Amino acid sequence: MSGAGEHPGAQLAAFAAGLRLEQVPPAVQRRAEDLLLDGLGSILAGKGARPVEAIARFWESQGPAGGPAEILIHRRGSSPLVAAAVNAAACHVAEQDDVHNGSVFHPAAVVIPPALAMAQALGASGAQLLEALVAGYEVGIRTGEFLGRSHYKVFHTTGTAGTLAAAAAVGRLLGLDARQMLHAFGSAGTQSAGLWEFLRDAADSKQLHTAHAASAGLAAACLAKEGLTGAQRIFDGPQGLAAGMSSDADPARLADGLGTRWTLAETSFKYHASCRHTHPAADALQAVMAAQGLAAADIESVVAHVHQGALDVLGPVTDPRTVHQSKFSMGTVLGLVAGRGGAGLREFEDHWQDPDTRALRERVRMELDPEVDRAYPRRWIGKVTVTTRDGRVFQGRVDEPKGDPGNTLDRAALAAKAQSLAAFSGAARPAEVSRLVGWCQSLTAQARVGMLLEPA
Amino acid sequence: MSGAGEHPGAQLAAFAAGLRLEQVPPAVQRRAEDLLLDGLGSILAGKGARPVEAIARFWESQGPAGGPAEILIHRRGSSPLVAAAVNAAACHVAEQDDVHNGSVFHPAAVVIPPALAMAQALGASGAQLLEALVAGYEVGIRTGEFLGRSHYKVFHTTGTAGTLAAAAAVGRLLGLDARQMLHAFGSAGTQSAGLWEFLRDAADSKQLHTAHAASAGLAAACLAKEGLTGAQRIFDGPQGLAAGMSSDADPARLADGLGTRWTLAETSFKYHASCRHTHPAADALQAVMAAQGLAAADIESVVAHVHQGALDVLGPVTDPRTVHQSKFSMGTVLGLVAGRGGAGLREFEDHWQDPDTRALRERVRMELDPEVDRAYPRRWIGKVTVTTRDGRVFQGRVDEPKGDPGNTLDRAALAAKAQSLAAFSGAARPAEVSRLVGWCQSLTAQARVGMLLEPA
């Protein structure tokens, strides 16, 4: 099916359609369980967020009053389409969901909601859900890598590549064959959307993008099952994704290392509750402050030496107007790290507008760094120059930010993170989160994916 | 609200939000009624088409079992989102829905379904529905003109600009103010999608594109009502639609003649049941055959002198594999016109594969014509060179294809077209279509938009 003679998109479709649990190395399976827990925690953290609740009100009003797929933040069932959209919106608002560095793609938000919704609707096993998650991550990440850096300058890759990721995950659960999976990819890719323009206004589109990707991708897979056909070369055809939305797309990335390279295991957990582009500098600042025994009051200024993508995404955010936008403000993030010891959900919520946070924010600037830029997006190097009030100058550096595969969070840290995410929004009680931890860590032993929380 | 000091996107949003029936000239109102009838006929014609029924099965399975918004091809109610998606898919399959030449945009398919669905759900008046239709047409067409020819080379403008058109129509019904309408535009534009790549494979994405635009645009408007914010400069911002998806976008087109130029009245009815790019040549061939008294058997070859857009869209279709794809084959269209006297739904269905149709198809070729290309897209000139078997050479030309505003279909012809569309699929009885004709022509007198057909 996935012969070398086929084009890369067809190879990727055949891989996703044929993926079996036995092919997935045990360490990758365990990582998938951890990512699932981390994603469920992020979904729960979205409860009560204004854009998430707006999206939920709309989608719930358009769907059935009940159903097999769980809207986690409201503890009620609906159709898979509705649950996928709402959970995807919820997953991406706290800025704590996972990220794959090389593709600059957030897989959890667009893979876990549609996969979970369809697994619940089908009564799939935990092993089948895990296969679907792996298919979704491998397809979405490779699509993001394929679309390249030119794409990311204008498009929110999580929204665009997300339709493919969601289609792969749901398509795997539906048992699509390779031919049907390629149709699903065609229908998903021709619905790919998501522009960064909203960042300039602190508008709510980021949650809309994940909701759209999850629902459009789920639709694409279900439609392929119903017989709807799609373009065969949606990735690299003359009027396909690359032609329309990228100037440096590389089709070879689509089939790179299928079955041997597990991009899911390259995915990073987010430690700080901010845009990933701020994390390397945040870690570097923490490192230099710890090494030199500096307090926030000692700091005169910070220069964050960054890659171009950070300038593109964070550059427009000079005066954040909402807590969510402040997560895209390098100055706010470094201000919280310096002044509060960290940039977690709680620190943002309580302190993003504090005078001392804002004062340090004004003394942070970003500069393009050739070494950091060359390494990006394979490696996200953090470099800062800190000047103290008494005139000393220190360089800080981290080569792998906290949460990256080589500097990952262990299961205890992940369980604690999930607890703090649920506690932040009040979406689940500690005992419930503990049950979720256990359920995720024994996923392949679950005979049937049912509802995860008690009904409201 | 729509001061000249505002950027064009904000002016367009203010116009759509503030549009009142009294501003719309009576002739434009009558044209809107005619376009509504023509669109309803196209929706009915979609019943039973494989891609349409696949999309309907999926969407109906994800929505409520009943509701106020009518799925016309199945004579049942659902939520506005579901009805809008299914009716939009149905409207665009027979290739008989309307087209605006200058924007190369098919307004009916993406405006009428969401507007009708929301009008039914709200119990709006006929006058309010008419306002919504005008808002949708004016916004969608200007968005298509703004996106330009470079956009259309890769993107299906009806899919992309369609999200904005649907958002404007639904937003008008919801009574969005200018600020909310601009948010709706932001949420619509960041979901804009639709690639031409599917044409190469005769895949089913065209119906998916209109379903997507109608549902995503409806969602954008409803979400704005719920308080979701969107990018303020989604059209022309540095990471907006133009930046991502066009190289010749012209923001001035967005606000061109608002309130004085009615693009709705520039919209053409489709006479032939094929891609609009084939119509000028089809009319020119009919003209030369009539003038010279030629029969199909007399024709040795035909050269269609076309604009570049026709080559882009029709060029890949050299060997049509489905009746739908044959509507994008210049050779098939001219073959039916020559051999069957017309290229209507019935002629396509019964004769697209006939040996004589295929034989003439092989003797048709397209050539880029500088004059036709320069006039496009404002004017769609048809030019053909016909060579007869006995060696004579004739030039045929039409300056305005049948159905264009200067060569339009009258109300009797439109009623007959609606009857033939419904009869083709069996979606409605003649007496029901007659009632629809009367209902459309007295739209502004209707106190409340209810269900249009008897329940199944």
Side-chain angles (χ1 to χ4, degrees), chain A residues 275-330:
Chain A
C275 175
R276 185 66 175 176
H277 292 296
T278 66
H279 290 209
D283 286 354
L285 178 61
Q286 276 188 318
V288 78
M289 288 178 72
Q292 306 298 334
L294 300 179
D298 299 326
I299 297 176
E300 175 58 35
S301 66
V302 182
V303 178
H305 306 279
V306 299
H307 52 281
Q308 183 62 45
L311 294 173
D312 293 340
V313 173
L314 309 174
V317 186
T318 52
D319 182 18
R321 278 172 276 166
T322 64
V323 60
H324 186 259
Q325 194 182 32
S326 78
K327 296 174 177 187
F328 292 79
S329 154
M330 181 66 92

Coordinates of all heavy atoms in Angstrom, one line a residue, chain A residues 275-330:
Chain A
C275 N 2.9 31.5 25.1 CA 3.3 31.1 23.8 C 4.7 30.4 23.8 O 5.6 30.9 24.5 CB 3.3 32.3 22.9 SG 3.9 31.9 21.2
R276 N 4.8 29.3 23.1 CA 6.0 28.5 23.2 C 7.2 29.4 22.7 O 8.3 29.1 23.2 CB 5.9 27.3 22.3 CG 7.1 26.3 22.3 CD 7.2 25.7 23.6 NE 8.3 24.7 23.6 CZ 8.7 24.0 24.7 NH1 8.1 24.3 25.9 NH2 9.6 23.1 24.7
H277 N 7.0 30.3 21.9 CA 8.1 31.1 21.4 C 8.8 31.9 22.6 O 9.9 32.4 22.4 CB 7.7 32.1 20.3 CG 7.3 31.5 19.1 ND1 8.2 30.7 18.3 CD2 6.1 31.4 18.4 CE1 7.5 30.3 17.2 NE2 6.3 30.7 17.3
T278 N 8.1 32.1 23.7 CA 8.7 32.8 24.8 C 9.5 31.8 25.8 O 10.3 32.3 26.6 CB 7.6 33.5 25.7 OG1 6.8 32.4 26.3 CG2 6.7 34.4 24.9
H279 N 9.3 30.5 25.6 CA 9.9 29.6 26.6 C 11.4 29.6 26.7 O 12.0 29.5 27.7 CB 9.3 28.2 26.4 CG 7.8 28.1 26.8 ND1 7.3 26.9 27.2 CD2 6.8 29.0 26.8 CE1 6.0 27.1 27.4 NE2 5.7 28.3 27.2
P280 N 12.1 29.5 25.5 CA 13.5 29.4 25.6 C 14.1 30.6 26.4 O 15.0 30.4 27.2 CB 14.0 29.4 24.1 CG 12.8 28.8 23.4 CD 11.6 29.4 24.1
A281 N 13.7 31.8 26.1 CA 14.2 33.0 26.8 C 13.8 32.9 28.2 O 14.6 33.3 29.1 CB 13.7 34.2 26.1
A282 N 12.6 32.5 28.5 CA 12.1 32.4 29.9 C 13.0 31.5 30.7 O 13.5 31.8 31.8 CB 10.7 31.9 30.0
D283 N 13.4 30.3 30.1 CA 14.2 29.4 30.8 C 15.7 29.9 31.0 O 16.3 29.7 32.0 CB 14.3 28.0 30.0 CG 13.1 27.2 30.2 OD1 12.2 27.6 31.0 OD2 12.9 26.2 29.5
A284 N 16.1 30.6 29.9 CA 17.5 31.2 30.0 C 17.5 32.3 31.1 O 18.5 32.4 31.8 CB 17.8 31.8 28.6
L285 N 16.5 33.1 31.2 CA 16.4 34.1 32.2 C 16.4 33.5 33.6 O 17.2 33.9 34.5 CB 15.2 35.0 32.1 CG 15.1 36.1 33.1 CD1 16.3 37.1 33.1 CD2 13.8 36.9 32.9
Q286 N 15.6 32.4 33.8 CA 15.6 31.7 35.1 C 17.0 31.2 35.4 O 17.4 31.3 36.5 CB 14.6 30.6 35.1 CG 13.1 31.0 35.3 CD 12.2 29.9 35.5 OE1 12.2 28.9 34.8 NE2 11.3 30.0 36.5
A287 N 17.6 30.7 34.4 CA 19.0 30.1 34.6 C 20.0 31.1 35.1 O 20.7 30.9 36.0 CB 19.4 29.4 33.4
V288 N 20.0 32.3 34.4 CA 20.9 33.3 34.7 C 20.6 33.9 36.1 O 21.5 34.2 36.9 CB 21.1 34.3 33.6 CG1 20.0 35.3 33.6 CG2 22.4 35.1 33.7
M289 N 19.4 34.1 36.4 CA 19.0 34.7 37.7 C 19.4 33.7 38.8 O 19.9 34.2 39.9 CB 17.5 35.0 37.8 CG 17.1 36.2 36.9 SD 15.3 36.5 36.9 CE 15.1 37.2 38.6
A290 N 19.2 32.4 38.6 CA 19.6 31.4 39.6 C 21.1 31.4 39.8 O 21.6 31.4 40.9 CB 19.0 30.0 39.3
A291 N 21.8 31.4 38.7 CA 23.2 31.3 38.7 C 23.9 32.5 39.4 O 24.9 32.4 40.1 CB 23.8 31.1 37.3
Q292 N 23.3 33.7 39.1 CA 23.9 34.9 39.6 C 23.2 35.4 40.9 O 23.6 36.4 41.4 CB 23.8 36.0 38.6 CG 24.4 35.6 37.2 CD 25.9 35.3 37.3 OE1 26.6 35.8 38.2 NE2 26.4 34.4 36.4
G293 N 22.2 34.7 41.4 CA 21.5 35.1 42.6 C 20.8 36.5 42.4 O 20.8 37.3 43.3
L294 N 20.2 36.7 41.2 CA 19.6 38.0 40.9 C 18.1 38.0 41.4 O 17.4 37.0 41.3 CB 19.7 38.3 39.4 CG 21.0 38.5 38.8 CD1 20.9 38.8 37.3 CD2 21.8 39.6 39.5
A295 N 17.6 39.1 41.8 CA 16.2 39.3 42.0 C 15.7 40.3 40.9 O 16.5 40.9 40.2 CB 15.9 39.9 43.4
A296 N 14.4 40.3 40.8 CA 13.8 41.2 39.7 C 14.2 42.6 39.9 O 14.5 43.3 38.9 CB 12.3 41.1 39.8
A297 N 14.3 43.1 41.1 CA 14.7 44.5 41.3 C 16.1 44.8 40.9 O 16.5 45.9 40.7 CB 14.5 44.8 42.8
D298 N 16.9 43.7 40.7 CA 18.3 44.0 40.3 C 18.4 44.2 38.8 O 19.5 44.7 38.3 CB 19.2 42.7 40.6 CG 19.2 42.4 42.1 OD1 19.2 43.4 42.9 OD2 19.3 41.2 42.4
I299 N 17.3 43.9 38.0 CA 17.5 43.9 36.6 C 17.1 45.2 35.9 O 16.1 45.8 36.2 CB 16.5 42.8 36.0 CG1 17.0 41.4 36.5 CG2 16.5 42.8 34.4 CD1 16.1 40.3 36.1
E300 N 18.1 45.7 35.2 CA 17.8 47.0 34.4 C 17.1 46.7 33.1 O 16.2 47.4 32.7 CB 19.2 47.7 34.2 CG 19.1 48.9 33.3 CD 18.2 50.0 33.9 OE1 18.2 50.1 35.1 OE2 17.6 50.7 33.1
S301 N 17.7 45.7 32.4 CA 17.1 45.3 31.1 C 17.4 43.9 30.7 O 18.4 43.3 31.2 CB 17.6 46.3 30.0 OG 18.9 46.1 29.8
V302 N 16.6 43.4 29.8 CA 16.8 42.0 29.2 C 16.7 42.1 27.7 O 15.7 42.7 27.2 CB 15.8 41.0 29.8 CG1 16.1 39.6 29.2 CG2 15.8 41.0 31.3
V303 N 17.7 41.5 27.0 CA 17.5 41.3 25.6 C 17.3 39.8 25.4 O 18.2 39.0 25.8 CB 18.7 41.8 24.8 CG1 18.6 41.5 23.3 CG2 19.0 43.3 25.0
A304 N 16.2 39.5 24.7 CA 16.0 38.1 24.4 C 16.5 37.9 22.9 O 16.0 38.6 22.0 CB 14.5 37.8 24.5
H305 N 17.4 37.0 22.7 CA 17.9 36.7 21.4 C 17.1 35.6 20.8 O 17.2 34.5 21.2 CB 19.4 36.4 21.5 CG 20.2 37.4 22.3 ND1 20.6 38.6 21.7 CD2 20.6 37.5 23.6 CE1 21.3 39.3 22.6 NE2 21.2 38.7 23.8
V306 N 16.4 35.9 19.7 CA 15.3 35.0 19.3 C 15.4 34.7 17.8 O 16.2 35.3 17.1 CB 13.9 35.6 19.6 CG1 13.7 35.7 21.1 CG2 13.7 36.9 18.8
H307 N 14.6 33.7 17.4 CA 14.5 33.4 16.0 C 13.4 34.3 15.3 O 12.6 34.9 16.0 CB 14.1 31.9 15.8 CG 12.9 31.5 16.7 ND1 13.0 31.3 18.0 CD2 11.6 31.3 16.3 CE1 11.8 30.9 18.5 NE2 10.9 31.0 17.5
Q308 N 13.4 34.3 14.0 CA 12.5 35.1 13.3 C 11.0 34.8 13.6 O 10.2 35.8 13.7 CB 12.7 35.0 11.8 CG 11.8 35.9 10.9 CD 12.1 37.4 11.2 OE1 13.3 37.8 11.3 NE2 11.0 38.2 11.3
G309 N 10.7 33.6 13.8 CA 9.3 33.2 14.1 C 8.8 33.8 15.3 O 7.6 34.2 15.5
A310 N 9.7 34.0 16.3 CA 9.3 34.6 17.6 C 9.0 36.1 17.3 O 8.0 36.7 17.8 CB 10.4 34.5 18.6
L311 N 9.8 36.7 16.5 CA 9.5 38.1 16.1 C 8.2 38.3 15.4 O 7.4 39.2 15.6 CB 10.6 38.7 15.3 CG 12.0 38.8 15.9 CD1 13.1 39.2 14.9 CD2 11.9 39.8 17.1
D312 N 7.9 37.3 14.5 CA 6.7 37.4 13.7 C 5.4 37.3 14.6 O 4.4 38.0 14.4 CB 6.6 36.2 12.7 CG 7.7 36.4 11.6 OD1 8.2 37.5 11.4 OD2 8.0 35.4 10.9
V313 N 5.5 36.4 15.5 CA 4.3 36.1 16.3 C 4.2 37.0 17.5 O 3.1 37.5 17.9 CB 4.3 34.6 16.8 CG1 3.2 34.3 17.8 CG2 4.2 33.7 15.6
L314 N 5.4 37.3 18.2 CA 5.3 38.1 19.4 C 5.5 39.6 19.2 O 5.1 40.4 20.0 CB 6.4 37.6 20.4 CG 6.5 36.1 20.6 CD1 7.7 35.8 21.5 CD2 5.2 35.6 21.3
G315 N 6.1 39.9 18.0 CA 6.5 41.3 17.7 C 5.3 42.2 17.8 O 5.4 43.3 18.4
P316 N 4.1 41.8 17.2 CA 3.0 42.8 17.3 C 2.4 43.1 18.7 O 1.7 44.0 18.8 CB 1.9 42.0 16.4 CG 2.7 41.0 15.6 CD 3.9 40.6 16.4
V317 N 2.8 42.2 19.6 CA 2.2 42.3 21.0 C 3.1 43.2 21.8 O 3.9 42.8 22.6 CB 2.0 41.0 21.6 CG1 1.2 41.1 22.9 CG2 1.3 40.0 20.7
T318 N 2.9 44.5 21.7 CA 3.7 45.5 22.5 C 3.0 46.0 23.7 O 3.6 46.4 24.7 CB 4.1 46.7 21.6 OG1 2.8 47.2 21.1 CG2 5.0 46.3 20.5
D319 N 1.7 45.9 23.7 CA 0.9 46.5 24.9 C -0.3 45.5 25.1 O -1.4 45.9 24.7 CB 0.4 47.9 24.5 CG -0.3 48.5 25.7 OD1 -0.2 48.0 26.8 OD2 -1.0 49.5 25.5
P320 N -0.1 44.4 25.7 CA -1.2 43.4 25.8 C -2.4 43.9 26.5 O -2.3 44.6 27.5 CB -0.5 42.2 26.6 CG 0.7 42.8 27.2 CD 1.1 43.9 26.4
R321 N -3.5 43.6 25.9 CA -4.8 44.1 26.5 C -5.6 43.1 27.2 O -6.6 43.4 27.8 CB -5.6 44.7 25.3 CG -5.2 46.1 25.0 CD -5.9 46.6 23.7 NE -5.2 46.1 22.5 CZ -5.7 46.2 21.3 NH1 -6.9 46.6 21.1 NH2 -5.0 45.8 20.2
T322 N -5.2 41.8 27.1 CA -6.0 40.8 27.8 C -4.9 39.8 28.4 O -3.8 39.8 27.9 CB -6.9 40.0 26.9 OG1 -6.1 39.3 25.9 CG2 -7.9 40.9 26.1
V323 N -5.4 39.0 29.3 CA -4.4 38.0 29.9 C -4.0 37.1 28.8 O -2.8 36.7 28.8 CB -5.0 37.3 31.1 CG1 -6.3 36.6 30.8 CG2 -4.0 36.4 31.8
H324 N -4.9 36.7 27.9 CA -4.5 35.8 26.8 C -3.4 36.4 25.9 O -2.4 35.8 25.6 CB -5.7 35.3 26.0 CG -5.4 34.3 25.0 ND1 -5.2 34.5 23.7 CD2 -5.1 32.9 25.2 CE1 -4.9 33.4 23.1 NE2 -4.8 32.5 23.9
Q325 N -3.6 37.7 25.6 CA -2.7 38.3 24.7 C -1.3 38.5 25.4 O -0.3 38.4 24.8 CB -3.2 39.7 24.2 CG -2.3 40.2 23.1 CD -2.8 41.6 22.6 OE1 -3.2 42.4 23.4 NE2 -2.6 41.9 21.3
S326 N -1.4 38.7 26.8 CA -0.1 38.8 27.5 C 0.8 37.6 27.4 O 2.0 37.6 27.7 CB -0.4 39.2 29.0 OG -0.8 38.1 29.7
K327 N 0.2 36.4 27.1 CA 0.9 35.2 26.9 C 1.7 35.2 25.6 O 2.6 34.3 25.4 CB 0.0 34.0 27.0 CG -0.7 33.9 28.4 CD -1.7 32.8 28.5 CE -2.3 32.8 29.9 NZ -3.2 31.6 30.2
F328 N 1.5 36.2 24.8 CA 2.3 36.4 23.6 C 3.2 37.6 23.7 O 3.7 38.1 22.7 CB 1.3 36.6 22.4 CG 0.6 35.3 22.1 CD1 -0.5 34.9 22.8 CD2 1.0 34.5 21.1 CE1 -1.2 33.7 22.6 CE2 0.4 33.3 20.8 CZ -0.7 32.9 21.5
S329 N 3.3 38.1 24.9 CA 4.2 39.3 25.2 C 5.5 38.8 25.9 O 5.4 38.3 27.0 CB 3.4 40.3 26.1 OG 4.3 41.1 26.8
M330 N 6.6 38.9 25.2 CA 7.8 38.4 25.7 C 8.1 39.2 27.0 O 8.6 38.6 28.0 CB 9.0 38.6 24.7 CG 10.3 38.2 25.2 SD 10.5 36.4 25.5 CE 11.1 35.9 23.9

